[in-house]
């Protein structure tokens, strides 16, 4: 896990310099184990790398240079099947200088060209320069686990980096907020790819290969779309066996490391199943970590302890407090680069801060809900089903009458019929913090965006229930969950690995008939059946939990409300017109109802302050109170 950065200049562009060293410094948390810089003889390709050493500690430094500069590769992440690739390529006459995974990718490209992407299993973002053709390739893994950003610079060059802040540190790009993206953020809780919060700055979408030719022409193609596996057995027993086979192999691949590997162990099925499969493969106890949040309503440590005891792991429980929100929010927003409305950013940051003191690699259960139907929004709510038994004319009359007194309830009633007519919009409606009635309360000038989920749902040719999962795999998963995972692990120089997102398992899971995956609309029913062979009954029957931040308490009794008022109603903020002073006061008047919305606005405001209006070369130490006074 590392950070990469670079500048590519077309043949006709004037030679210019990017401050590669500054780009690497601002990403030092991603790779504290060393840096490397490569500059082509004509200075039209300049690139640097900051390394977190995980595989091949002795000879795995980057950039990797082949043939005296004929090919140059920078790769952030891991190619898990590198041993198989090295064996295959060695048999065909390829010679290796390192023992690492990224050289396998480089040699595979030399052998196959752009088709090499189909032979990679892993999480990665890569930049590959071809000297003779003067061509740049930028590549992102299939699920979007690792990030990659780019922008055009004056003269037609392309600047790229693992984090947006590195682009701005280059001296070649300056931030400008895109109001269209602000609206997209309010609607989704993130800015959907390929846009970012900043004008002219783009994120390379998952499973995309971007080619920049010598004349500056850019071409971006999608090299993989999650589609149902064609070879999945048809019976439930065969399906379960096949899914376990793939997941077990994925876990084996992702245990490959030259430093110790640990695992996050909650009281949930996803992490418990990963620990069960990983522990059986090791000749030493697997290091597992569970967190207990002081004052939280739910304590998963007893369930996690049962799994740890069954598999003899070296188990650590640590207790954390989330009362430090006001102190840490500026730092979190600096690391995130773009605003994230997901308030679990704080607990995940705290967890990885502790893990980072003990290990460099940790397995994580992200992805199970999207593969096995783990959210209520994937199924029609019972109250909605009852409401839809009424004649449509009566429903519309009821919505009109209710809307005069309670616009929000009217909107909730109206969204019920989208489940059948526009499932992508239904997913959006069940996720958004700022539906039309709340936007009206806010009093700003922004209009809600088109739901990103709708386009992906429409792309999928299979059953609607599977199409909903496909839509989430392309939106919420990479833009929220995986971005959060990358930022909170990398902030503490930890590599988070996600075996459930092995692309082979994704394809197999999409091929499962909905009536087997979620019979009767039961969330994660098939995964529970699979896990029954590995996990205690008490865990299988436990309600779904998650890392939840007590956001309402932060605003009601934790002192966040007056700070939010000062930050969100300062003249510079109100002059943008995204919200009104009265709108903020309306939200603050009901913190129990609007706390998560206020948090989302704070995340946006702080991001604009830190990256749009200011320039911070390192994570700020200022608290939220100090930011409010500044």
């Amino acid at each position: 896990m590392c950070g990469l950065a670079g500048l590519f200049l077309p043949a006709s562009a004037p030679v210019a310099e990017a401050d590669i060293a500054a780009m690497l410094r601002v990403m030092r948390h991603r790779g504290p184990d060393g840096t490397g810089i490569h500059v082509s003889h004509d200075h039209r390709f300049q690139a640097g790398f900051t390394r977190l050493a995980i595989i091949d500690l002795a000879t795995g430094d980057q950039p990797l240079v082949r043939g005296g500069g004929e090919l140059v590769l920078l790769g952030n992440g891991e190619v898990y099947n590198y041993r198989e690739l090295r064996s295959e390529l060695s048999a065909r006459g390829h010679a290796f200088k390192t023992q690492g995974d990224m050289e396998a990718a480089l040699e595979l490209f030399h052998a196959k060209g752009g088709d090499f992407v189909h032979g990679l299993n892993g999480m990665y973002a890569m930049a590959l320069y071809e000297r003779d053709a003067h061509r740049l390739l930028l590549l992102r893994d299939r699920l979007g686990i690792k990030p990659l950003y780019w922008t055009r610079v004056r003269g037609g060059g392309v600047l790229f980096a693992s984090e947006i802040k590195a682009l701005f540190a280059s001296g070649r790009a300056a931030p400008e907020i895109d109001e269209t993206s602000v609206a997209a953020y309010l609607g989704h809780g993130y800015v959907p790819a390929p846009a970012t919060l900043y004008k002219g700055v783009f994120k390379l979408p998952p499973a995309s290969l971007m080619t920049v030719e010598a004349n500056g022409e850019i071409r971006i193609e999608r090299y993989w779309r999650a589609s149902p596996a064609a070879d999945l057995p048809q019976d439930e027993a065969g399906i379960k066996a096949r899914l376990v086979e793939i997941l077990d192999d994925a876990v084996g691949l992702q245990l490959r490391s030259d430093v110790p590997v640990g695992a996050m162990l909650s009281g949930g099925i996803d992490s418990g199943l990963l620990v069960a499969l990983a522990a059986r493969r090791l000749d030493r106890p697997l290091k597992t970590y569970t967190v207990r949040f002081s004052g939280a309503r739910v304590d998963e440590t007893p369930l996690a302890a049962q799994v740890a005891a069954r598999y003899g792991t070296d188990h650590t429980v640590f207790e954390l407090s989330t009362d430090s929100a006001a102190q840490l929010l500026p730092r979190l927003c600096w690391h995130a680069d773009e605003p994230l409305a997901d308030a679990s950013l704080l607990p995940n940051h705290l967890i990885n801060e502790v893990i980072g003191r003990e290990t460099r690699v940790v397995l994580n259960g992200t992805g199970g809900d999207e593969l096995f139907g783990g959210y209520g929004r994937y199924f029609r709510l019972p109250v909605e089903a009852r409401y839809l038994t009424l004649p449509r004319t009566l429903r519309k009359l009821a919505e009109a009458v209710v809307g005069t007194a309670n616009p929000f309830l009217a909107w909730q009633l109206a969204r019920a019929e989208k489940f059948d007519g526009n499932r992508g919009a239904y997913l959006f409606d069940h996720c958004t913090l700022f539906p039309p009635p709340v936007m009206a309360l806010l009093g700003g000038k922004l209009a809600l965006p088109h739901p990103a989920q709708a386009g992906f749902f429409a792309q999928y040719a299979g059953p609607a229930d599977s199409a909903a999962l496909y839509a989430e795999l392309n939106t919420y998963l990479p833009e929220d969950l995986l971005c959060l995972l990358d930022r909170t692990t990398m902030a503490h120089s930890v590599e988070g690995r996600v075996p459930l997102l092995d692309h082979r398992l994704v394809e197999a899971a999409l091929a499962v008939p909905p009536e087997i995956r979620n019979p009767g609309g039961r969330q994660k029913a098939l995964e529970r059946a699979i896990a029954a062979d590995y996990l205690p009954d008490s865990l299988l029957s436990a309600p779904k939990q998650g890392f939840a931040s007590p956001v309402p308490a932060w605003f009601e009794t934790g002192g966040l409300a007056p700070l939010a008022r000062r930050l969100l109603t300062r003249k510079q903020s109100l002059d943008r017109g995204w919200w009104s002073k009265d709108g903020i006061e309306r939200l603050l008047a009901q913190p129990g109802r609007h706390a998560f919305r206020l948090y989302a606005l704070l995340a946006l405001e702080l991001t604009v302050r830190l990256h749009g209006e200011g320039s911070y070369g390192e994570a700020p130490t200022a608290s939220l109170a100090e930011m409010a006074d500044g």
Side-chain angles (χ1 to χ4, degrees), residues 265 272-273 275-277 279-280 285-286 288 302-315 528 530-540:
L265 179 57
L273 191 53
V275 166
L277 295 174
R280 300 187 315 167
L286 175 68
T288 54
L303 292 174
Q306 293 179 40
V307 178
R310 174 178 287 198
Y311 292 101
T313 72
D314 179 6
H315 191 53
R528 289 179 192 277
I530 290 171
D533 292 334
Y534 301 92
L535 302 178
D537 292 339
S538 55
L539 189 150
L540 296 172

Side-chain angles (χ1 to χ4, degrees), residues 325-347:
Q327 180 63 40
L328 290 178
L329 266 178
R331 174 177 289 266
L332 297 178
C333 291
W334 182 86
H335 277 291
D337 282 351
E338 292 189 272
L340 268 178
D342 193 332
S344 63
L345 191 68
L346 175 62

Side-chain angles (χ1 to χ4, degrees), residues 234-314:
Q234 298 300 301
D235 62 297
E236 183 172 350
I239 288 172
K240 290 164 58 178
R242 178 63 176 145
L243 292 176
V244 169
E245 177 189 359
I246 298 173
L247 180 57
D248 185 50
D249 187 64
V251 168
L253 288 176
Q254 298 195 29
L255 285 173
R256 292 177 172 177
S257 170
D258 292 332
V259 298
V261 178
M264 275 300 303
L265 179 57
S266 70
I269 295 173
D270 300 327
S271 65
L273 191 53
L274 293 183
V275 166
L277 295 174
R280 300 187 315 167
R281 283 180 164 269
L282 298 175
D283 58 2
R284 62 189 183 281
L286 175 68
K287 183 70 175 175
T288 54
Y289 303 91
T290 300
V291 63
R292 177 194 294 117
F293 289 108
S294 55
R297 293 180 294 104
V298 177
D299 180 5
E300 293 187 306
T301 55
L303 292 174
Q306 293 179 40
V307 178
R310 174 178 287 198
Y311 292 101
T313 72
D314 179 6

Side-chain angles (χ1 to χ4, degrees), residues 4 61 132 159 169 317 328 353 386 427-428 488 498 507 554 556:
L4 57 86
D61 292 339
D132 293 345
L159 192 69
V317 177
L328 290 178
E353 183 177 26
R386 292 192 295 271
L427 291 172
F428 174 85
T488 58
V498 281
E507 292 173 337
W554 293 345
E556 292 173 328

Side-chain angles (χ1 to χ4, degrees), residues 323-465:
D323 293 340
S324 55
Q327 180 63 40
L328 290 178
L329 266 178
R331 174 177 289 266
L332 297 178
C333 291
W334 182 86
H335 277 291
D337 282 351
E338 292 189 272
L340 268 178
D342 193 332
S344 63
L345 191 68
L346 175 62
N348 279 277
H349 176 91
L350 295 173
I351 290 164
N352 285 295
E353 183 177 26
V354 175
I355 290 175
R357 299 172 192 154
E358 296 202 3
T359 191
R360 288 289 182 87
V361 182
V362 64
L363 302 183
N364 182 286
T366 297
D369 290 310
E370 290 75 20
L371 296 187
F372 295 103
Y375 298 124
R377 61 182 176 267
Y378 297 153
F379 314 98
R380 195 196 306 275
L381 298 179
V383 66
E384 293 176 335
R386 292 192 295 271
Y387 178 64
L388 290 173
T389 62
L390 298 174
R392 192 172 192 275
T393 53
L394 185 58
R395 296 201 309 271
K396 294 305 164 188
L397 177 62
E399 291 161 16
V401 172
V402 169
T404 59
N406 192 333
F408 187 78
L409 178 57
W411 171 79
Q412 286 181 305
L413 293 172
R415 76 185 179 188
E417 65 183 33
K418 292 183 181 179
F419 187 86
D420 290 323
N422 190 346
R423 184 80 67 91
Y426 179 88
L427 291 172
F428 174 85
D429 284 356
H430 274 272
C431 294
T432 185
L433 289 172
F434 293 92
V438 177
M439 292 293 283
L441 277 179
L442 203 55
K445 65 182 180 181
L446 300 174
L448 282 173
H450 182 73
Q453 297 92 327
F456 286 105
F457 180 86
Q459 285 180 6
Y460 195 81
D465 287 357

Side-chain angles (χ1 to χ4, degrees), residues 188-253:
H188 296 90
Y190 51 81
V191 181
T196 70
L197 184 67
Y198 312 95
K199 285 185 180 179
V201 176
F202 304 96
K203 56 174 76 90
L204 189 64
S208 292
L209 178 65
M210 173 173 160
T211 305
V212 189
E213 298 290 352
N215 62 4
E217 178 186 344
I218 292 177
R219 181 175 67 257
I220 300 176
E221 57 183 318
R222 185 90 179 218
Y223 65 83
W224 178 84
R225 295 183 190 276
S227 57
D231 59 350
L232 194 73
Q234 298 300 301
D235 62 297
E236 183 172 350
I239 288 172
K240 290 164 58 178
R242 178 63 176 145
L243 292 176
V244 169
E245 177 189 359
I246 298 173
L247 180 57
D248 185 50
D249 187 64
V251 168
L253 288 176

